[in-house]
Structure formats: structure tokens, C-alpha cells
Amino acid sequence: MWQLQGFGRPQYTNTVFPFSVSVKSDGTPNIPYEGNHTGCYARRFMVPTEWREDLIRLRFEGVDSAFHVFCNGKEVGYSQGSRNPSEFDITSLLHFDSENTLAVRVYQFCDGSYIEDQDQWWLSGIFRDVWLISFPVNHIADIQVQTHLDGDYRNATLTTKVNTITGSSIPVTIKLLEQSQSLMTSEKETDVTSSTSFTLSVSNPAKWTAETPYLYHLIVRTPHQVIAIRVGFRTTELKDGVFMVNGQPVIFRGTNRHEHHPQFGRSVPHDFLRADLLLMKKHNINAIRTSHYPNHPRLYHLADELGFWVIDEADLEAHGFADIEEAALGPDKDNLRGKERQNFFYDLASKWTTDNPAWEEAYVDRAQQLVYRDKNHPCVTLWSLGNEAFYGRNFQAMYDWIKAYDPTRLVHYEADRKAQTVDILSQMYSSVDTIIAYAEDPVSTKPLVLCEYVHAMGNGPGAIKEYIDAFYKYPLLMGGFVWEWANHGLLTKTKEGKPYYAYGGDFGDQPNDGNFVLDGVLFSDHTPTPGLLEYKKAIESVQIISGSENEIEIINRYDFLSLDHLKCEWEIVGDGYVRPGGEVIIPQDIKPGQTASLAIANEDKMSNLPAEGYLTVKFTLKEATSWAPAGHEVANGQIRLKSYVFPSQTSSSYLSTIYKTISSLNTYPFLVTQQDRMLLVIGPGSKWTFEMTSGHLVSWVKGGKNMLCSPPIMDFYRALTDNDRPQDGMQWIEKRLHQTNDHFKSISWKTTHGDAEVSVVTRIAPPVFEWSVDTTTTYTFSSSGVRIKVHGIPQGINVPDTFARIGLTFQMPPEFNTVRWFGRGPGEGYIDKKLSQMFGTWEAAIDQLFTNYEFPQENGNRTDVRWVSISSGEKQLKAIFPFGEGGNFCASHYSTEALDSSRHPFELEEKRLENVVFRLDFAHHGLGTGSCGPKTLDKYALKAEEFSYEVWLE
């Protein structure tokens, strides 16, 4: 890609065209010359002399966007269709006794660019392999393989259609070999003229599925040519509206995948591609949508071997025309909302190319290139006509051609919103309620797939489990494909030489769509984000339904496999302890969709648990596979055995049997005294100081060291996530939630029976508006620490519908660099993104708690935390959450303001604090997928309502 080699510059747009849309006299779009760069390539090569009698082809697997080819100074031809192959016969132009020169002239844009407007970087060049291939004069031109199973899905018929070059008669022999290459069956030599079909009957072959990717070898031989094709026996169909493979319903637990490398753009090395697919398998992903074009041929070979269902998509998207129509409509468009708005502009935009008969041949050609190239891959389960190019006559023409040529597969296209043409209904980013309503509607007859869902931009996605539960409950739901696999940051450097991953606008590219290109479950270096771990958990193949200390009930979520290939082990984890368990015997032959009970031989290891405890169960591979070693964890789960117990909030003592470091609240007479503008509370080994003009606790001196670098402040805001910005976050900014400040009203204190208590009344409010949260904060002091209670009442007009968080934020000295906690971990968690995090006692350095998102935002929260301690070796501060399921904490070296004001990690690093920002939250708003999908679900939303919050610091 020449923009990554120092020529021109990368440009990222999501939907809009990066060039002026020009229209010819016949109304069809044209491409302007201005800004349309040309890349000229030259290569010298020798041709093997043994090829002298052969036909020689020059093949390009991918060139963006169009090109002319010259051989030894003579023009060979022209081609366009960036992600489709092109072949040229150059036999007559070659020298066999001297050097040859190949020249290629590549154009950045052509009229085909109007239907290659995919959400990705605009990059140009020869980005896939270029081959010189020899053929005998009389040779096989094409082979089409199809497998058909009988009504019992047991025995099979293998049909092989062989086409030769026109008019030639060639003797052909066909053999089918086992994986071991032993002969299964064969067809005797037959003379083939033009086109002949061979039929082989195969008795009960092993069936190919994404879980059992068994491949046979088909050998097609002529006197001068041998072609090997790997064959997987499988059949796809719809039965009563249910998508079936080999007679079994299949659920897509998939991902969308763009071709992208952080240094080479769409030129993706084979090892990098293979590592991606291995990572998918290890995270329970079983399906790939090649968004939004045919991928490199190697992907399909790997998918055949490793086992993936593939939706293979044509290189076709014309999204930018919708922006033209939307802009043209003017203010009237403001009356439209959601899907109604999108459908309206899609209908208008279809006139440009999709419903324009002048473009029919171009559309059908892209369907043909897709199907001709990939038709023999068993992994290709559905054909997709393209993406976000509206709906019109040319898609009907594509569909008709595909179904005539390959009736064995279903056809998909999302923008056919009513599935008038295609075989299945497809939607993007629909809510769970929407897909359930479709599945429950008695008039629904076609299956529904979410070709894009749970938009994984930045810190997210939230609420995945609700979708997965719906997929398995309703037979009409085929599953979905997370958007998307990886961030598309391009590795570059600042002027000072600091490396970072760039997004739209970082190269001075205009127009651009900013960081919307960073929306994957992998970071740009292709390491997993926390979102991938959450997705793996949601789509795991074994799920625990319920359980006790003696037994758990599970369900098999595989499509074809039993659980015989898995090993199950258990242990007990709790507050500060781990008790080893043992292996659990899994009953034989638990079929897909079946439930089973697993007995736990507890041997009294679950009795007399000292504190809250969990039965932890893990399912791992018994033996190594092609994609993971033995012992790889496939699924896990926890059953609570002993609950989190605290006294009522009215109790004056703590359960020392649970937390032995907590002592009685009434063991020492406290001295409370006023000095100038300060209120001092003096206890055993500690001195607390309040500033009486603000009500803030400004210091806590213990052992001669102040534990606080800033006072604990009640806060309701978090640095915006990508998913916040277009949803709740927009209102938070509008209502100035991020600008709230304390407005001190009063401070009072009392001592009773040696007990000291300070009460502060505060109005927390933003500028401009009159809404506020009126709080009463009560500090009760003990020999071990302080108990903080906050009661808050939101009031006034313009109160936000939700808060980002409710909690205290303060800073501590930099030597407090280690955190230990009991709750969910070890990774970050939020109320709707926490199921991948297990209960346990965890420990980490402050920097290990931080998630370095490529666009800085809220991160690093830990949830369902019972207690957390932050230590500096000799000293520690312990916070205990005596309510409900516990609280949340976050510890980092970055303030909310620093996160909000930074656009790249290198900018954030410049704002790193020496001190530790420590956040203790009563509650935290969910994440949702609102960057391109549903906002935070109502049940995970933190409503702006009256609250009571308590935390104990010791």
C-alpha cells in the first residue's frame, strides 16, 4: 500500500466518499482526476525454459483500485475490482531466452471506487500476491465440487464438474482420498470435452463442520496436469425457517473481520492471519464474515482446516450515496428517527448504482468473482451480496446468477430489509427486544442473523449475554457477528519519535471519521481487549445453569460435538483462601442442547468455609487440537456456596469474625477540637483534619505520614467511553455532569461515649443550571479507621436521567503502588461487562490495573468488590463495601480530566500523575454498545435517584 511506503497519505472514512462525486451526462457517477494518484510498478523476471510449450497466465490476487498491465512494452489489459483476482494470458508476449519486463500502472480511484466504499482506510497498490502460472495447452479451466447428503445425512454424493478450454478433449481421472491419502473411491478415465460432471457415491463419510473440520483429498488428473482439492462433506439448508447444517441447527458465534495489519494495511502476512484465526478459535468464535469483500485466498484454506463457518461477502459497498441524499434533504430529515431515517435515505441512494441498470453488469461481475474463486471451500456457508449498498434491481440480478450457478448455499444481504430477494433476514445492531419480537411473530418465516452486533468500540461491549440467551431460546435466530475483530490503527510516530496507533485525521486526512476505525475486540497490535474475554465467556460452549456444593447442572452449547473431548475440574475459592478440588466426571455422549448433572466429590472441602466462597468449575481440552494445546480452557463458571454477609447499616459494630482487622467502634475516647479553620479528630495513632470552610477531609495522618494527597470528593462522572458519547454521555455533557463542584453548607460534630462523628452537608451542582445532588456525609471514627456514609438526593430541573457513577475520588501518595482485593477479577469489569471476571482474591500493581485504550477513556474498574486494600509495603489503606453485592474501585495515575482531554495514549502519558487516583464507587453505570447500537440497557443504567452509600476505610 503506497500510502504506507511514504507516497501520499492514508485516509479513513466510515461512509463518505473521499473524493468529489462527479456525474456523467448519462447520470452515472464518474471519478475526478484531481487527487487521483497513480502508482507505477516495474519488475524484471525470467521464464523457465521448460514452460516454452505452455500457456502462461499472469494473476493478481488484489490491486486497489484499478490497473493497466504491460509486458515487454506492450499493453496486456486493464482490470478493476480491488479485492477480486484478475488473470491475463501473456504467452505471446514473453521472452524465454532473455529477461522480461512487467510494468503495472495502478490508479488510486476508478468508477469502481463508488461501490468499494467500505468502512476502512483508503489505501492503494498491489497488496496481494502476484503469480506467473503455466498451463499445458490442453488443460482444465475450472472445477466445481459439490457435496450432497442423503435424507438421513449419512451417505453422500460427490459431484465434480470439470470444464476444459473450449474445444479440447482431455482424458480425466478422479480419485477421492482419505486424510491418510488411502483411496476411498475413484472414477475411471473419461474424455472430457468442454464440460463433464463426475459423480462419486461415498458411504457415510466423516462430515465437515466448524467443530469437526474433516477434509478429504480430491485428485483430478490429466496426462499433463494434476489438481488437488480438499473436500468437506456438508450440506446447508433451511427447515421450517431454521438454518441447518447436516441436519443440525447451527448458531453463529461469529466475528466480522476486515483485512488489516498495523504496518502493512491490507497486506496481511500469512503468519499474522493464522495467528488471528487461532486466537478466534481459542476464544470460542466459530464463524467469520469477510467484511466487506472476499478475503485473501489463504483465509479460506485455514478456515477449512481449523473449522469456521464463513459468510463470504462480495466486494461491494456504496454507503457514501446515502450521505449525499441525507445532506440534500435539508432540515426535513430531522423528523426521521432510527431505522426509519436510515431506510428513507437508503431508498433515495439506491438510484445511483444499485437500482441503476447501467451498473448491473458491474454488480453481477462481483458476485461471479466471489463465487468462482471460493466455491469449493466447505467453510463457505453463505454467500453475501455485499454491504450497505441499499436495495435494488442489481441485487436481484446478483442473487439470480448465484442461485443458478450454486444452488447449494443460502444467500445473505443485510440491506434487503424485508428479505424480498435473499434467503435469510439480516440486521445490524438491533436490540435484544427487536430480535425477540421478530422470533415470536407468527408471520416470521425466514431465519434472522445479526451480521453486525455488540459494537466493540473502546471500553465495551456491554450486555452480550442477553443476545446469546435469545439466540439459543428462539430457533429462528441464527446468531451474530461481533463488530469487529480488530482495531485498525496504523503504527506511526509523533514528531518526537514516540510510536502510537493512528486513526482518521492523524495524517492530516480530510474528510475523516476519526477513531471510529478503532472498534475491535483486539487492539491494533492484535492482542485481546477485555471485550474479547467477555465475548469468549458469553459464547462459551458449556454453560453452568445452576448448582450446589454437591452437583452442578450444565448445558452443551456445541452444535455437533458431545462433551467427551473435555475435562472438568473444580476448586473452592473465597475471601483470602483457595481449597484445591479435583476432577469431575462428565457423563458420556451429552448431545448438543442437552443438559446434564455433574456430581462434585467435595470430600468435606466445602464445609466450614471461613468467609464468602465459590465453587469454581473449569472445562479444558483433554487433548491437543489443531488450534490449541491440551489443557486450554474452553469454559468456566462459579457457584456461590457462602454468601457475602455484613451487619445492617444501623449496627454499631462490625463482624470481626469476617474481617479480623476491624476492631470495635467504641474502644477509645476521641478528641475533637477546632483550630482556626480546621477541625481535628484525634484517635489512636491517627489524626484526621477537616477544612471547615469546605467540609473536606484534607488529611489523615498515621505514623507521621499523610495518607491523603487530596480530600475524598463525591463524584458522579467518569471519562466518557466511546459507547457513552452518542448516548448517555451526550446528556451528561449537556447537563454539565462533568463540571459539578461541592458547595459547602454546614459541618457539625459530636462525641458520644468516646465515639466521634462528623457530619457535612453539601450541595453538589454544576455551573449554569440549578439542579444539584444534596448530600449529607457522616464520618464515624474508630480505632481502626473511619466509616463514611453518604446520603444523596438529586433535585431540581435538568437533572440528568443517569449518573456515570456514584462514589468518592481522592489521591494517595505514589508509594501506594500495590492493590489487593476480593471480588471479580483479575481484569476490568462493569455491571454489564463482568461475567468473564471470576470471584477471587487478586493482587496487582497499579499500572497493571490500567487498560490502555488507543483512544483514552474510562477504564480499569473492578466490580462486585467486597474489600480492596492499597499498600506501600509497610502501610495500607483498606476499603470495605458493606452493602449488596459490594462496590467498585479504580486505581490509576490518571485523572478523569486527563482521560477526557487526551486523544492518544502518548498525550495521556504526558498527564500522568505521581500520585495514585483512588476511586471507591457505590455504583457504576453500564457500558452498552451505544457507539453504534443500543445504549446501556435500562437494568444496567445508574438512574439519578436518591441513594445511600457507605464505605469503611481502615
Side-chain angles (χ1 to χ4, degrees):
M1 319 302 297
W2 68 59
Q3 291 86 354
L4 303 180
Q5 306 299 321
F7 304 97
R9 61 186 177 191
Q11 183 168 7
Y12 165 64
T13 66
N14 172 23
T15 64
V16 301
F17 295 120
F19 39 72
S20 172
V21 176
S22 176
V23 181
K24 294 187 289 189
S25 58
D26 62 358
T28 57
N30 193 19
I31 287 288
Y33 289 109
E34 295 77 15
N36 190 357
H37 295 166
T38 302
C40 296
Y41 298 75
R43 172 76 178 258
R44 297 183 186 277
F45 64 99
M46 296 293 293
V47 181
T49 56
E50 58 266 29
W51 287 11
R52 192 180 295 271
E53 302 301 323
D54 292 345
L55 298 176
I56 299 175
R57 301 272 181 83
L58 179 67
R59 181 179 175 91
F60 295 82
E61 297 290 358
V63 181
D64 195 330
S65 70
F67 62 108
H68 274 98
V69 180
F70 304 85
C71 184
N72 293 325
K74 296 183 179 180
E75 182 176 330
V76 176
Y78 168 88
S79 185
Q80 65 184 54
S82 298
R83 269 68 71 174
N84 295 319
S86 305
E87 264 188 27
F88 304 89
D89 189 335
I90 60 172
T91 309
S92 62
L93 302 176
L94 291 173
H95 305 313
F96 288 89
D97 300 320
S98 61
E99 201 170 47
N100 296 272
T101 300
L102 176 67
V104 183
R105 191 167 63 207
V106 179
Y107 311 106
Q108 184 172 6
F109 303 119
C110 66
D111 60 4
S113 300
Y114 284 110
I115 55 174
E116 293 177 4
D117 184 30
Q118 290 95 348
D119 174 11
Q120 61 179 340
W121 291 97
W122 293 89
L123 298 170
S124 314
I126 303 173
F127 65 96
R128 288 184 186 160
D129 306 290
V130 183
W131 302 95
L132 198 64
I133 309 171
S134 71
F135 296 87
V137 173
N138 291 326
H139 65 272
I140 294 173
D142 187 46
I143 298 174
Q144 182 180 12
V145 175
Q146 294 182 348
T147 62
H148 306 273
L149 302 183
D150 63 17
D152 296 325
Y153 305 99
R154 177 178 172 81
N155 299 320
T157 301
L158 175 66
T159 301
T160 305
K161 184 179 181 181
V162 178
N163 294 336
T164 65
I165 60 173
T166 304
S168 61
S169 178
I170 307 174
V172 175
T173 301
I174 288 184
K175 294 181 180 180
L176 184 68
L177 308 181
E178 277 277 11
Q179 280 189 346
S180 63
Q181 298 190 21
S182 61
L183 180 65
M184 282 195 69
T185 184
S186 65
E187 177 74 22
K188 294 182 179 180
E189 184 176 293
T190 302
D191 286 340
V192 175
T193 302
S194 185
S195 180
T196 300
S197 290
F198 296 82
T199 301
L200 297 177
S201 296
V202 184
S203 177
N204 194 23
K207 310 306 186 294
W208 189 98
T209 74
E211 296 167 5
T212 58
Y214 194 95
L215 293 170
Y216 292 87
H217 301 279
L218 179 67
I219 308 298
V220 182
R221 183 185 296 274
T222 75
H224 303 289
Q225 190 178 19
V226 177
I227 299 172
I229 298 173
R230 293 185 298 184
V231 173
F233 285 91
R234 60 110 187 91
T235 186
T236 61
E237 61 188 330
L238 295 181
K239 274 194 172 182
D240 299 323
V242 178
F243 175 65
M244 311 277 262
V245 178
N246 302 341
Q248 290 286 108
V250 164
I251 300 295
F252 291 140
R253 305 189 298 274
T255 182
N256 285 272
R257 178 188 176 270
H258 266 297
E259 288 186 313
H260 181 79
H261 186 278
Q263 291 175 271
F264 312 132
R266 284 194 290 283
S267 295
V268 179
H270 179 264
D271 289 346
F272 195 81
L273 165 62
R274 183 178 177 84
D276 266 4
L277 268 60
L278 292 176
L279 203 56
M280 290 178 191
K281 292 291 288 190
K282 290 175 182 176
H283 287 81
N284 296 328
I285 290 170
N286 71 355
I288 301 169
R289 177 178 176 229
T290 66
S291 51
H292 301 292
Y293 38 80
N295 279 200
H296 192 289
R298 290 193 188 102
L299 177 136
Y300 304 86
H301 294 298
L302 288 170
D304 288 342
E305 293 173 7
L306 298 173
F308 287 97
W309 312 114
V310 174
I311 296 184
D312 202 9
E313 196 147 88
D315 186 12
L316 205 163
E317 180 167 346
H319 210 159
F321 291 120
D323 293 270
I324 295 172
E325 295 299 335
E326 184 169 2
L329 189 61
D332 292 343
K333 64 178 178 287
D334 295 333
N335 297 323
L336 301 169
R337 292 290 182 269
K339 290 289 186 184
E340 178 190 19
R341 178 189 182 96
Q342 188 182 65
N343 290 341
F344 181 79
F345 294 117
Y346 270 33
D347 288 343
L348 293 176
S350 65
K351 68 185 181 186
W352 291 84
T353 57
T354 294
D355 211 35
N356 184 343
W359 283 75
E360 179 178 325
E361 186 177 354
Y363 273 57
V364 173
D365 176 70
R366 289 175 186 248
Q368 291 171 335
Q369 298 301 322
L370 170 77
V371 177
Y372 282 147
R373 195 195 73 171
D374 298 336
K375 60 183 176 291
N376 293 330
H377 288 283
C379 67
V380 176
T381 311
L382 283 82
W383 301 117
S384 178
L385 303 181
N387 183 68
E388 293 178 317
F390 332 117
Y391 178 72
R393 54 174 289 147
N394 294 334
F395 281 112
Q396 183 69 55
M398 293 174 74
Y399 177 89
D400 291 343
W401 183 89
I402 290 177
K403 294 303 269 190
Y405 183 82
D406 177 24
T408 68
R409 292 179 175 96
L410 303 176
V411 177
H412 161 276
Y413 176 58
E414 179 267 342
D416 182 0
R417 295 290 166 79
K418 298 179 181 179
Q420 300 174 65
T421 295
V422 293
D423 301 312
I424 60 178
L425 183 68
S426 179
Q427 294 179 1
M428 295 179 179
Y429 309 111
S430 295
S431 68
V432 174
D433 289 344
T434 297
I435 65 174
I436 289 177
Y438 175 82
E440 291 181 338
D441 190 336
V443 303
S444 299
T445 57
K446 293 186 177 181
L448 167 65
V449 66
L450 291 178
C451 66
E452 297 176 20
Y453 80 131
V454 290
H455 197 256
M457 190 173 182
N459 190 347
I464 306 173
K465 184 179 185 297
E466 284 77 3
Y467 284 101
I468 307 304
D469 289 345
F471 294 160
Y472 283 102
K473 182 176 180 181
Y474 296 97
L476 280 184
L477 302 182
M478 290 173 61
F481 295 78
V482 63
W483 186 268
E484 65 165 309
W485 177 237
N487 289 354
H488 295 177
L490 289 172
L491 185 61
T492 188
K493 292 182 178 180
T494 66
K495 293 179 180 179
E496 295 74 28
K498 293 183 179 179
Y500 73 100
Y501 291 101
Y503 51 78
D506 283 342
F507 299 99
D509 47 310
Q510 293 292 339
N512 70 79
D513 284 301
N515 69 313
F516 206 68
V517 77
L518 306 177
D519 50 8
V521 291
L522 297 185
F523 292 110
S524 292
D525 63 359
H526 283 230
T527 57
T529 70
L532 180 58
L533 303 182
E534 190 74 4
Y535 194 52
K536 175 188 178 182
K537 174 63 179 173
I539 62 176
E540 63 190 359
S541 301
V542 186
Q543 294 184 346
I544 296 179
I545 300 173
S546 62
S548 66
E549 63 183 37
N550 297 313
E551 185 178 75
I552 60 171
E553 186 178 10
I554 63 170
I555 187 167
N556 179 0
R557 290 300 195 197
Y558 284 103
D559 296 316
F560 294 90
L561 287 174
S562 71
L563 304 184
D564 295 350
H565 65 295
L566 298 180
K567 180 180 180 180
C568 180
E569 295 175 291
W570 66 274
E571 65 180 1
I572 306 298
V573 300
D575 188 352
Y577 65 90
V578 176
R579 291 185 180 180
E583 185 173 351
V584 180
I585 302 302
I586 302 176
Q588 291 291 305
D589 201 28
I590 301 173
K591 297 284 196 279
Q594 286 186 348
T595 60
S597 294
L598 276 58
I600 308 295
N602 62 50
E603 301 172 355
D604 296 326
K605 291 180 180 179
M606 301 184 197
S607 61
N608 300 317
L609 299 181
E612 182 178 7
Y614 291 82
L615 169 65
T616 300
V617 179
K618 297 181 180 180
F619 295 87
T620 59
L621 295 176
K622 284 182 182 178
E623 299 176 355
T625 67
S626 61
W627 50 269
H632 167 74
E633 185 176 305
V634 172
N636 61 45
Q638 288 186 313
I639 300 295
R640 183 182 295 176
L641 302 176
K642 187 171 184 178
S643 295
Y644 177 58
V645 178
F646 278 100
S648 68
Q649 293 188 4
T650 59
S651 174
S652 62
S653 64
Y654 204 81
L655 290 185
S656 59
T657 55
I658 297 180
Y659 296 104
K660 296 180 180 178
T661 53
I662 293 287
S663 55
S664 169
L665 292 173
N666 303 305
T667 59
Y668 185 88
F670 281 77
L671 174 64
V672 182
T673 182
Q674 184 177 351
Q675 292 183 3
D676 297 325
R677 292 178 299 172
M678 300 297 180
L679 181 70
L680 306 181
V681 179
I682 302 172
S686 292
K687 181 172 72 173
W688 294 272
T689 302
F690 287 86
E691 188 177 70
M692 296 186 67
T693 56
S694 66
H696 291 159
L697 175 61
V698 294
S699 74
W700 177 358
V701 176
K702 188 174 181 65
K705 177 70 175 179
N706 186 7
M707 309 274 280
L708 303 179
C709 295
S710 72
I713 300 295
M714 202 68 195
D715 197 4
F716 305 100
Y717 180 72
R718 70 183 181 202
L720 294 184
T721 68
D722 289 311
N723 289 312
D724 288 336
R725 290 181 186 278
Q727 305 290 347
D728 297 278
M730 184 182 297
Q731 191 191 62
W732 297 339
I733 300 301
E734 289 174 352
K735 300 298 179 70
R736 299 180 181 267
L737 184 66
H738 61 306
Q739 295 176 342
T740 57
N741 285 303
D742 283 5
H743 299 272
F744 173 69
K745 297 181 75 172
S746 68
I747 184 171
S748 59
W749 60 92
K750 64 181 179 179
T751 57
T752 306
H753 306 298
D755 192 6
E757 184 177 285
V758 175
S759 183
V760 179
V761 178
T762 303
R763 180 176 182 267
I764 302 173
V768 180
F769 298 119
E770 59 78 50
W771 72 265
S772 68
V773 181
D774 296 338
T775 64
T776 300
T777 305
T778 304
Y779 302 83
T780 304
F781 298 91
S782 74
S783 58
S784 60
V786 59
R787 173 177 173 175
I788 304 174
K789 283 186 174 181
V790 184
H791 180 237
I793 303 176
Q795 65 84 33
I797 60 174
N798 291 313
V799 177
D801 296 326
T802 60
F803 291 149
R805 46 181 287 261
I806 298 174
L808 295 170
T809 302
F810 55 97
Q811 294 184 22
M812 298 186 66
E815 58 265 29
F816 285 84
N817 55 18
T818 302
V819 177
R820 194 166 186 264
W821 73 98
F822 178 66
R824 290 189 183 269
E828 71 180 20
Y830 294 80
I831 189 171
D832 59 352
K833 193 187 84 171
K834 66 182 182 180
L835 298 182
S836 57
Q837 303 305 312
M838 307 282 278
F839 282 97
T841 305
W842 310 101
E843 185 171 314
I846 296 293
D847 286 340
Q848 292 175 318
L849 300 173
F850 182 74
T851 304
N852 197 17
Y853 289 106
E854 289 160 7
F855 189 95
Q857 55 197 277
E858 158 67 30
N859 73 89
N861 189 70
R862 267 63 180 174
T863 194
D864 292 345
V865 174
R866 311 330 193 193
W867 58 261
V868 54
S869 67
I870 182 168
S871 64
S872 63
E874 294 181 357
K875 291 184 173 62
Q876 77 164 7
L877 177 70
K878 187 173 187 179
I880 300 156
F881 299 99
F883 51 80
E885 289 295 310
N888 301 260
F889 84 87
C890 180
S892 81
H893 290 285
Y894 303 101
S895 67
T896 297
E897 293 77 15
L899 289 165
D900 250 354
S901 61
S902 300
R903 295 296 177 263
H904 299 89
F906 70 84
E907 297 168 346
L908 180 63
E909 185 62 27
E910 295 170 357
K911 302 167 188 174
R912 179 185 170 97
L913 300 172
E914 287 294 318
N915 294 336
V916 175
V917 179
F918 200 31
R919 197 177 71 195
L920 301 171
D921 288 351
F922 161 66
H924 206 107
H925 188 69
L927 298 172
T929 58
S931 54
C932 189
K935 63 181 289 187
T936 301
L937 295 183
D938 194 62
K939 64 181 178 179
Y940 299 128
L942 180 54
K943 301 297 179 60
E945 298 171 344
E946 183 176 355
F947 64 88
S948 292
Y949 163 61
E950 185 174 355
V951 62
W952 294 28
L953 304 180
E954 63 157 21

